Amino acid sequence: MTITGADALHDERYRIAASRDARFDGQFVTAVHSTGIYCRPSCPARTPRSAGVTFYRTSAAAHLAGFRACRRCLPEATPGSPEWDLREDVAARAMRLVLDGVVEREGVPGLAGRVGYSERQLNRIMTDELGAGPKALSRAHRAQTARTLLTSSDLPIADVAFAAGFASIRQFNDTVREVFALTPTELRARRRTAPGGDGALRVHLPARPPFDVQGLLEWHALHALAGMEQVGFDAAGRVASYGRVLDLPGGPGWFRATAAGADTAGSGARVGRVRTGLDLLVRLTDLSDLPTLVARVRALFDLDADPVAVDTALAAVPELAPVVARVPGMRLPGAVDPHEVVFRTLIGQQVSVAAARTAQTRLVAALGERVATGLVPGVVEGSGASDLDGSLVRLFPRAAVIAERGREVLRGPAARVDTIMRVAAALADGTLGVHGGQSLDELRSGLLAVKGIGPWTADYVALRVRHHPDLFLHSDLAVRNGAQELGLPGTARALSLWSERVAPWRSYLTMHCWRPIIDRAMDRTAATSTNPGKEPR
């Protein structure tokens, strides 16, 4: 008997399911023929015979094949697949945009246009690669959003239907019953946490352990801008939460992220019942923006990463083994607004973090759109409210506004200001594209074509926006200084050559090199009790 590639893949996935390896939750689902349900790989139910299961890469493919979600293991409530960040092909690029809600906002024609294919071609590619086309993948995404709203809010069920993107209540009811084998009312009855009654949504975002949540909270706290981002501290002076406003398709939104279970160890694990990830408090102008916000927060905190694969590769290098042991589960800081990352990167070049923060805060205060009072808890406008102290909440200014008025606010070398203005004009008129649906080469080449943008800027933006796992910023002075502290080569060329030993995970090496500098900066921040976005305790 000949063993085909498909047979080998089936056998590999069966071994994973039989071992109940939670690391692979979200990377595929197991459809059980005898029961008509599909499960996550770590489902505690008895593993069926190998011949009695079919494995699908996405839950949407299982839906199309007539299977429904397991009520016991909730396969929809898992981290996403890390392969969408690793892969550069059309299917992965399109999948990143589907998760951001592009199909709901622009339809399949808009999605196809963004990746440069016809609708027919894109549907064929995604069906071949993922087992489902854009519409089916979007439908599965809407079903997950509906489940989140039903179990984390007190919204009327009719409002949940339209907030999740369904065209009618009948379509909503049929989809929920088909996917979860429960009615919307039955799903709501299964929620474990009652809503707080403050108009906010409470959402848990799972991640694969280990998860260095404290490191990312500190990263974002160090770069937080008053008036746009808020940082909360615990009694010991450590960063306990990170929140911010962001511009969403339906209007401004706000979230606050804390480690799941709010454990003081910063591991994201709840004592007794392990629960790794983030707990979000969310307020939205338009509830239909929830899936987009969730997708962007997942990217911001790198929640879909496979930390075991990353740590195993890095720890195999003797020089990095103690580093990984000290900080397991390192994550990459992502982006909730690609254009914002570009501008903040350009403004922050060749200056200290504090100086960059001051200049960026000035830009937000002068050109950012005001956010309505009440969106951000605890922020009350009064006669003495001021942009510079964060009493007034503003969004990061859009590219068109910077293109029109940026010279009134921007300071520094004329060449840098000119570059920022060129970028603003190009982003505003669409001649420059920067978004997560691009390939790495497309994103980098577009940025490098702009006069004044060099390789470091293009790579840093790609690390944040494209969330690419294999970019090493060897020319960055802070990276080189951190590398020397870790016992690695200190020159840019030698360090670049050395970094090839940990491909394709060099972005995570970048973060490990940055970590000593961030730790010292946060120690100074805690000692002086000064932080640009500090919340009252």
Side-chain angles (χ1 to χ4, degrees), residues 20-34:
R20 296 178 175 81
D21 191 340
R23 170 184 161 189
F24 294 91
D25 287 353
Q27 299 192 42
F28 66 88
V29 295
T30 305
V32 183
H33 303 164
S34 60

Side-chain angles (χ1 to χ4, degrees), residues 37 172-173 204 256 299 311 388 401 486 525:
I37 66 171
F172 164 69
N173 288 334
H204 172 68
R256 181 169 64 212
D311 287 357
L388 295 180
V401 176
L486 301 180
T525 298

Side-chain angles (χ1 to χ4, degrees), residues 242-315:
Y242 167 78
R244 63 163 292 161
V245 290
L246 66 162
D247 199 4
L248 294 167
W254 170 86
F255 71 86
R256 181 169 64 212
T258 57
D263 64 301
T264 56
S267 65
R270 178 175 293 177
V271 176
R273 177 174 172 265
V274 176
R275 196 183 190 203
T276 304
L278 293 175
D279 288 332
L280 293 190
L281 194 66
V282 177
R283 286 184 174 176
L284 298 167
T285 301
D286 185 337
L287 286 171
S288 65
D289 284 331
L290 178 63
T292 299
L293 180 142
V294 165
R296 294 180 184 181
V297 174
R298 294 197 68 83
L300 186 67
F301 284 86
D302 199 11
L303 296 184
D304 294 336
D306 183 351
V308 174
V310 175
D311 287 357
T312 299
L314 268 59

Side-chain angles (χ1 to χ4, degrees), residues 144-155 188 191-206 254-258 260 270 275 278-284 287 290 293-294 377:
Q144 170 60 16
T145 301
R147 189 194 69 82
T148 298
L149 288 170
L150 287 167
T151 58
S152 65
S153 78
D154 56 359
L155 289 174
R188 167 148 287 175
R191 67 183 175 194
R192 296 169 180 168
T193 304
D198 55 3
L201 302 176
R202 285 160 173 77
V203 182
H204 172 68
L205 304 184
W254 170 86
F255 71 86
R256 181 169 64 212
T258 57
R270 178 175 293 177
R275 196 183 190 203
L278 293 175
D279 288 332
L280 293 190
L281 194 66
V282 177
R283 286 184 174 176
L284 298 167
L287 286 171
L290 178 63
L293 180 142
V294 165

Side-chain angles (χ1 to χ4, degrees), residues 70-404:
C70 175
R71 300 182 190 180
R72 184 174 183 181
C73 70
L74 296 176
E76 310 290 343
T78 63
S81 174
E83 69 176 312
W84 311 136
D85 288 330
L86 286 166
R87 290 170 49 171
E88 293 289 315
D89 61 334
V90 175
R93 290 166 53 203
M95 190 64 184
R96 293 195 292 270
L97 295 172
V98 168
L99 294 174
D100 194 59
V102 167
V103 174
E104 281 78 7
R105 296 194 298 273
E106 303 175 21
V108 177
L111 176 68
R114 285 194 179 222
V115 296
Y117 282 74
S118 70
E119 292 181 60
R120 183 176 179 180
Q121 286 176 307
L122 182 61
N123 186 72
R124 178 182 56 78
I125 290 170
M126 298 190 78
T127 301
D128 289 346
E129 288 288 324
L130 309 178
K135 286 185 177 179
L137 290 164
S138 177
R139 178 174 176 266
H141 197 212
R142 288 198 302 273
Q144 170 60 16
T145 301
R147 189 194 69 82
T148 298
L149 288 170
L150 287 167
T151 58
S152 65
S153 78
D154 56 359
L155 289 174
I157 288 179
D159 290 348
V160 169
F162 295 111
F166 290 94
S168 69
I169 293 177
R170 179 178 179 178
Q171 183 190 60
F172 164 69
N173 288 334
D174 290 346
T175 299
V176 169
R177 278 196 297 265
E178 181 180 341
V179 173
F180 301 109
L182 294 168
T183 67
T185 302
E186 290 169 335
L187 259 180
R188 167 148 287 175
R190 295 166 65 90
R191 67 183 175 194
R192 296 169 180 168
T193 304
D198 55 3
L201 302 176
R202 285 160 173 77
V203 182
H204 172 68
L205 304 184
R208 296 178 182 87
F211 178 31
D212 178 34
V213 61
Q214 192 65 35
L216 272 189
L217 288 174
E218 291 175 355
W219 167 276
H220 293 304
L222 185 63
H223 297 84
L225 306 184
M228 190 179 80
E229 297 167 282
Q230 306 85 39
V231 180
F233 296 85
D234 62 19
R238 296 195 319 164
V239 178
S241 68
Y242 167 78
R244 63 163 292 161
V245 290
L246 66 162
D247 199 4
L248 294 167
W254 170 86
F255 71 86
R256 181 169 64 212
T258 57
D263 64 301
T264 56
S267 65
R270 178 175 293 177
V271 176
R273 177 174 172 265
V274 176
R275 196 183 190 203
T276 304
L278 293 175
D279 288 332
L280 293 190
L281 194 66
V282 177
R283 286 184 174 176
L284 298 167
T285 301
D286 185 337
L287 286 171
S288 65
D289 284 331
L290 178 63
T292 299
L293 180 142
V294 165
R296 294 180 184 181
V297 174
R298 294 197 68 83
L300 186 67
F301 284 86
D302 199 11
L303 296 184
D304 294 336
D306 183 351
V308 174
V310 175
D311 287 357
T312 299
L314 268 59
V317 180
E319 296 92 329
L320 296 179
V323 177
V324 174
R326 182 174 70 88
V327 187
M330 180 71 77
R331 294 299 207 272
L332 305 178
V336 296
D337 181 344
H339 292 184
E340 175 189 320
V341 169
V342 175
F343 289 120
R344 292 178 70 165
T345 302
L346 292 171
I347 293 170
Q349 284 182 327
Q350 298 179 339
V351 299
S352 68
V353 172
R357 204 166 51 211
T358 299
Q360 294 158 1
T361 299
R362 185 187 305 117
L363 183 71
V364 172
L367 303 183
E369 179 184 339
R370 289 273 297 277
V371 172
T373 304
L375 185 70
V376 180
V379 176
V380 180
E381 295 185 8
S383 57
S386 150
D387 281 303
L388 295 180
D389 67 8
S391 301
L392 300 182
V393 181
R394 293 181 181 269
L395 298 169
F396 195 88
R398 295 178 179 176
V401 176
I402 296 176
E404 180 182 355

